[in-house]
Amino acid sequence: MNILILGSGGREHAYAWKLAQSKKLNKLFIAPGNAGTASVGTNVNMAATDFDAIKKFVLENDVNMVVVGPEDPLVKGVHDFFLADAALKNIPVIGPQKDGAQLEGSKDFSKRFMFRHNIPTARYETFTKETLDAGLKFLETLEPPYVLKADGLAAGKGVVIPNTLEEAKKELSEMLAHAKFGNASAKVVIEEFLKGIELSVFVLTDGNSYKILPAAKDYKRIGVGDVGLNTGGMGAISPVPFANEEFIKKVEERVVIPTINGLKKEGITYKGFIFIGLMNCNGDPQVIEYNVRMGDPETEVVLPRIKSDLLDLFEGVGNGNLHEKSFEVDPRFATTVVLVAGGYPEEYRKGDLMTGFEQVKDSIAFHAGTKKEGEKIVTNGGRVMAITSYGETMKEALQKSFANAEQIKYEGKYYRSDIGKDLEVYFK
Ligand code: AMP
Ligand code: GLY
């Protein structure tokens, strides 16, 4: 099999690393990739959303499967583009079509979907510019803090959680009347604030059967103690100690099965990953959001824990026989610590020389924002690397990730030194 992965982050390096272990793999291409993917496959200088260039490349290079990393190409319809083209339609694409991608592409769609299928989620209402006054009144009926979500994709910044009614009203007006997030905030979902502890569960489906992948917890804020600005994710842990078998069973019965059945009932053929963002509210799962792809950096702890051949599982997704595929999980902990560029998540440094790769031992250094410049590797993004380690205990895995985070050197390096700290109470 020749495979093309679309994307350029740590998630895509993790896909490349895992697929490269498959006996079924012949050639591996990553577009556009990073310095890490270049060590396991061939990078292709092509944007993940340039469908015409992708078509040309796929046909010229005998690509037999396309694995889509980020949501953008899915929401823009890369899978539909393949199905509509006589020369491409038999090449499986891992990732849903446009209709399924709305689960992430529109918060309003995903909330309505959850309500239609009795999937537990926070009470909500949706407002537009025309119904701004009703929205302001609705806010008055809620208790603080307030959760406001731009309907469309807003580069991970579309959720705002003000603490006071006054701020919430101002925010709603800015989003609806002043297009704070452009077209993405033409509609705004306002929902009840859920109290609990967050985690993510990942599902791989061929549209009928599914595999529940290891759960993970990520660390969203930039600062130690989970304070400061939101980021794409500063670290991840799998398994999640408070997500025991009983909790995962509830997630399967109350969320996963109704989601897969709901998609089927609505005539949505869904082939790919479903990322379920959950709040554990006193032992009961509530859905915060769906994403139609894997998480980053969660992928960097989830894939290392999958013992089975990922390519074989992807073939099952493409052929609709995922139920026949074996699926085995490594019981060990996997942890990842993300190294970021100085300044991130605001304006950040780029082009800094990176060294120390040979010193990394007992960890997997997944590249994210890196690129090759001749023989050198330089920083090229906000999140630069994810250092993943295994351990019989979370503590052991984290010790390795932190020790190796120290080995990689570049100007302005920063990482959160408290990844996993909040979970230590579960091991006392
Ligand atoms: P999202 O972009 O939907 O993942 O939202 C970003 C973050 O906002 C989530 O990871 C949660 O931490 C938080 N959040 C979203 N919705 C709620 C809610 N209803 N209650 C509490 N926190 C929420
Ligand atoms: N780490 C969160 C995400 O990938 O959306």
Side-chain angles (χ1 to χ4, degrees):
M1 290 274 275
N2 298 331
I3 298 196
L4 170 65
I5 301 172
L6 300 179
S8 64
R11 166 182 52 210
E12 287 75 20
H13 188 191
Y15 280 142
W17 168 85
K18 182 72 182 153
L19 290 171
Q21 294 166 21
S22 173
K23 286 194 186 70
K24 295 183 175 184
L25 183 77
N26 182 20
K27 285 190 199 147
L28 182 62
F29 302 102
I30 310 93
N34 58 39
T37 60
S39 68
V40 274
T42 306
N43 284 354
V44 186
N45 190 9
M46 175 167 82
T49 48
D50 187 346
F51 298 170
D52 291 322
I54 292 170
K55 171 177 176 177
K56 191 159 173 274
F57 183 86
V58 162
L59 295 177
E60 281 175 4
N61 293 278
D62 279 328
V63 169
N64 313 108
M65 177 185 284
V66 177
V67 178
V68 187
E71 65 280 11
D72 209 27
L74 296 169
V75 173
K76 291 198 168 109
V78 67
H79 196 157
D80 312 63
F81 175 86
F82 269 64
L83 289 173
D85 190 297
L88 299 176
K89 69 174 197 278
N90 293 323
I91 299 171
V93 175
I94 307 302
Q97 298 165 55
K98 251 183 174 173
D99 53 1
Q102 286 184 93
L103 282 183
E104 177 166 2
S106 166
K107 302 270 188 207
D108 179 51
F109 175 87
S110 85
K111 292 297 283 193
R112 282 190 282 127
F113 178 88
M114 288 185 252
F115 272 83
R116 278 199 293 278
H117 302 290
N118 282 317
I119 295 165
T121 188
R123 194 166 65 91
Y124 82 107
E125 281 198 39
T126 301
F127 299 95
T128 61
K129 201 171 172 177
E130 285 69 39
T131 57
L132 172 58
D133 286 341
L136 295 170
K137 287 215 175 70
F138 181 65
L139 283 171
E140 289 174 7
T141 70
L142 300 174
E143 297 291 319
Y146 304 86
V147 182
L148 278 63
K149 301 183 171 183
D151 174 59
L153 292 183
K157 296 193 170 66
V159 177
V160 191
I161 308 189
N163 282 313
T164 67
L165 183 60
E166 197 188 344
E167 284 172 276
K169 286 184 166 179
K170 187 162 161 263
E171 192 62 48
L172 184 66
S173 304
E174 279 173 14
M175 283 164 96
L176 287 176
H178 304 293
K180 180 174 177 185
F181 298 107
N183 204 26
S185 63
K187 276 187 199 170
V188 173
V189 167
I190 302 180
E191 65 180 46
E192 231 169 25
F193 183 83
L194 297 167
K195 281 199 198 71
I197 172 158
E198 252 181 281
L199 76 156
S200 302
V201 170
F202 306 90
V203 175
L204 180 64
T205 180
D206 61 5
N208 283 304
S209 67
Y210 59 85
K211 306 280 188 208
I212 298 184
L213 313 182
K217 182 173 191 300
D218 109 358
Y219 291 80
K220 288 227 164 80
R221 306 290 187 112
I222 188 73
V224 168
D226 217 36
V227 297
L229 293 173
N230 250 322
T231 71
M234 296 296 291
I237 309 274
S238 179
V240 181
F242 58 82
N244 55 19
E245 224 171 285
E246 186 194 346
F247 181 79
I248 297 294
K249 191 95 203 130
K250 285 184 191 170
V251 173
E252 179 168 20
E253 284 165 3
R254 298 178 195 177
V255 182
V256 177
I257 293 172
T259 300
I260 304 280
N261 287 343
L263 288 166
K264 272 205 291 197
K265 264 189 220 149
E266 299 193 13
I268 296 174
T269 307
Y270 196 109
K271 287 176 179 286
F273 290 99
I274 310 177
F275 165 148
I276 306 168
L278 291 168
M279 196 71 89
N280 177 340
C281 302
N282 291 322
D284 288 316
Q286 293 272 340
V287 178
I288 297 175
E289 62 164 352
Y290 290 111
N291 292 312
V292 297
R293 49 163 176 92
M294 282 297 290
D296 192 354
E298 293 92 330
T299 308
E300 292 95 297
V301 292
V302 172
L303 292 190
R305 293 194 58 226
I306 296 177
K307 284 184 165 174
S308 316
D309 182 338
L310 186 64
L311 207 167
D312 188 47
L313 290 166
F314 282 168
E315 278 188 319
V317 171
N319 298 333
N321 63 343
L322 185 61
H323 60 284
E324 292 170 9
K325 304 292 183 184
S326 77
F327 179 67
E328 215 188 322
V329 171
D330 189 325
R332 285 178 298 173
F333 276 85
T335 61
T336 201
V337 171
V338 174
L339 312 183
V340 304
Y344 177 81
E346 296 184 276
E347 202 170 318
Y348 55 80
R349 299 175 61 101
K350 252 188 184 178
D352 287 306
L353 177 68
M354 300 179 67
T355 58
F357 298 103
E358 331 55 59
Q359 264 74 39
V360 174
K361 302 223 163 61
D362 277 346
S363 287
I364 312 161
F366 289 120
H367 289 238
T370 70
K371 76 169 181 194
K372 275 188 133 167
E373 259 179 14
E375 287 308 299
K376 294 182 179 139
I377 294 178
V378 299
T379 63
N380 187 44
R383 291 188 293 168
V384 176
M385 299 201 88
I387 311 290
T388 297
S389 319
Y390 293 102
E392 296 300 329
T393 62
M394 180 180 79
K395 195 171 162 198
E396 183 197 333
L398 278 170
Q399 268 167 356
K400 292 181 199 165
S401 287
F402 287 129
N404 285 309
E406 277 304 304
Q407 299 302 328
I408 303 283
K409 305 233 180 341
Y410 58 89
E411 196 66 35
K413 182 182 81 179
Y414 170 76
Y415 61 87
R416 259 181 72 173
S417 53
D418 66 335
I419 302 300
K421 261 247 151 13
D422 59 323
L423 299 178
E424 280 171 9
V425 295
Y426 296 97
F427 302 105
K428 292 231 159 88

